[in-house]
Structures are given as structure tokens and as C-alpha cells.
Amino acid sequence: MRSKNKKIIFSLIIIILLLIALIILMLTGVIGKKEKSTNETSKQKSSVETSQIIKYYKSMIGDFEEARHEYSVVDINDDNIPELLIYTHGIIGNTIIGNLNIYSYDENLGNIDNNYIVFVGTINGQFDKDTILYKMNDGTLLSVSGNMGYEIVSSYTLVNDWIVRKSYTTKEVEEYMTGDQEITFKPCTDTSLLDDYK
């Protein structure tokens, strides 16, 4: 009887070990496929040089000649594809309004008529003349708006080619928060940021 129980226990141990080995092999294969898929996606996203993307952006900002349009260019998520930021501001009644539209270049989502420039989202509401935008080293944008000892801080990231707010805080402070790299905006009639982009 003991011998039979030992055989059953031994068989169960062997089955469990085989199942563990199978799970490990499956997980390793899935992880490898995910890494390969991510690499393929970033390669397929753009087969053109950054300089060509900058030319497309330069052509696009030519459509924004009014003084209320400003732009910047920054690689938000460090994927070697710069994003174009168009800041539109003005006054409605006594209210200063401002919003920031963000565009990127993606051959999978765009079409030949617009040179594959795709809209990836808007930052509005908190974005006005008192707002400073920073590019953070972790691949996010940090929006800091300070006024009379209060600050509003929002953090944004690109998720599946769409800009998403990760966090939002408002509080009373003595010193306003700063980020890693302040993003400079220029009027759309001044192409120097695109000319100097590296």
C-alpha cells in the first residue's frame, strides 16, 4: 500500500514539475513575442528620417499665421519621433483661453494626403499664459500653472498614440514646481525651433 502511495505522490510531483516547466516556457515565449512586437511597431511607425518629419511639420505650421498660434517640437516619449505642439490662445470676453493640440507622425495611422501627421490629443483647461510646460526625463509632459501662491500641476503621457493625463494636483505653495526641461514656444511664423531641431 505504501509503495502504491509513493508511486502516486511521485507521479503527482512529476506532473506538477512538468506543468511548472510548461508555464515557464509559455511565459518566456509570450514575453519574447511582446518585446518583438513592440520593437516592430516602433520600427514600422516611421520609415522616414526625422528631418523629413520636421519638413512636414514646417509645412503644417505655415497654415497658422495668426499671432495667437505658437508651436514647439519635442520628442515626448523618446521614440525618435518628435511631436508637434500647437498652442492656441486668445481672449473671449474677460477670459483668457488656451489649449494645446499635439500631433505626431505615424505611417500606420495617417494617410498620404496629410503626410501621416496625426492628432494625438489636447491639453486644455489648465493651459494658459501662466502655464509652463516641461519635458520630463521619464517621457512625460509636466504642466505647471502658478498664480498668487497656488499651483496646478498635471502630468501627461502618450499611451497607444494618445495623450493621457496621468495626474492632477492643485495646492497652495511658496515655490512653484519646476521640471527637467522647459519647453519653448515660438510664433508659427518663426520656424527657428524646427530649423534647429536635432
Side-chain angles (χ1 to χ4, degrees), residues 75-78 135-141 156-158 166:
D75 185 355
I76 296 172
N77 56 352
D78 300 316
K135 158 76 167 73
M136 302 302 285
N137 292 334
D138 65 357
T140 62
L141 292 178
Y156 301 87
T157 188
L158 278 170
K166 285 175 40 176

Side-chain angles (χ1 to χ4, degrees), residues 20-32:
I20 290 171
L22 181 62
I23 290 169
I24 290 171
L25 287 173
M26 287 174 57
L27 288 176
T28 306
V30 168
I31 291 168

Side-chain angles (χ1 to χ4, degrees), residues 173-187:
V173 292
E174 292 183 16
E175 192 173 318
Y176 299 126
M177 182 182 287
T178 58
D180 296 321
Q181 172 192 343
E182 186 173 338
I183 296 175
T184 304
F185 286 86
K186 297 269 188 181

Side-chain angles (χ1 to χ4, degrees), residues 17-51:
L17 289 174
L18 287 172
L19 286 173
I20 290 171
L22 181 62
I23 290 169
I24 290 171
L25 287 173
M26 287 174 57
L27 288 176
T28 306
V30 168
I31 291 168
K33 286 180 185 175
K34 281 185 182 175
E35 287 174 0
K36 184 178 179 184
S37 172
T38 303
N39 291 337
E40 285 174 359
T41 301
S42 34
K43 284 179 189 172
Q44 292 173 357
K45 196 171 175 184
S46 174
S47 62
V48 301
E49 296 293 322
T50 302
S51 60

Side-chain angles (χ1 to χ4, degrees), residues 22-171:
L22 181 62
I23 290 169
I24 290 171
L25 287 173
M26 287 174 57
L27 288 176
T28 306
V30 168
I31 291 168
K33 286 180 185 175
K34 281 185 182 175
E35 287 174 0
K36 184 178 179 184
S37 172
T38 303
N39 291 337
E40 285 174 359
T41 301
S42 34
K43 284 179 189 172
Q44 292 173 357
K45 196 171 175 184
S46 174
S47 62
V48 301
E49 296 293 322
T50 302
S51 60
Q52 184 60 47
I53 296 171
I54 295 298
K55 284 181 187 175
Y56 291 142
Y57 288 164
K58 196 182 280 191
S59 172
M60 183 177 175
I61 68 167
D63 296 335
F64 297 95
E65 294 181 358
E66 299 172 36
R68 64 190 188 102
H69 298 293
E70 298 177 20
Y71 81 97
S72 191
V73 61
V74 62
D75 185 355
I76 296 172
N77 56 352
D78 300 316
D79 65 351
N80 296 319
I81 298 174
E83 278 71 44
L84 177 67
L85 289 61
I86 303 280
Y87 172 46
T88 304
H89 52 88
I91 298 174
I92 298 178
N94 294 328
T95 306
I96 298 171
I97 58 133
N99 70 316
L100 184 69
N101 289 331
I102 303 174
Y103 301 86
S104 190
Y105 183 90
D106 191 334
E107 292 169 6
N108 295 321
L109 298 177
N111 61 62
I112 196 64
D113 295 331
N114 65 11
N115 298 321
Y116 303 103
I117 297 172
V118 293
F119 175 72
V120 296
T122 297
I123 297 175
N124 57 20
Q126 298 82 37
F127 204 84
D128 61 24
K129 67 180 183 61
D130 297 318
T131 302
I132 299 175
L133 195 64
Y134 298 96
K135 158 76 167 73
M136 302 302 285
N137 292 334
D138 65 357
T140 62
L141 292 178
L142 185 70
S143 165
V144 180
S145 181
N147 196 350
M148 299 176 67
Y150 283 86
E151 75 175 2
I152 299 170
V153 179
S154 296
S155 174
Y156 301 87
T157 188
L158 278 170
V159 177
N160 297 324
D161 296 314
W162 191 253
I163 200 79
V164 174
R165 185 166 69 184
K166 285 175 40 176
S167 64
Y168 171 84
T169 59
T170 180
K171 60 185 174 184

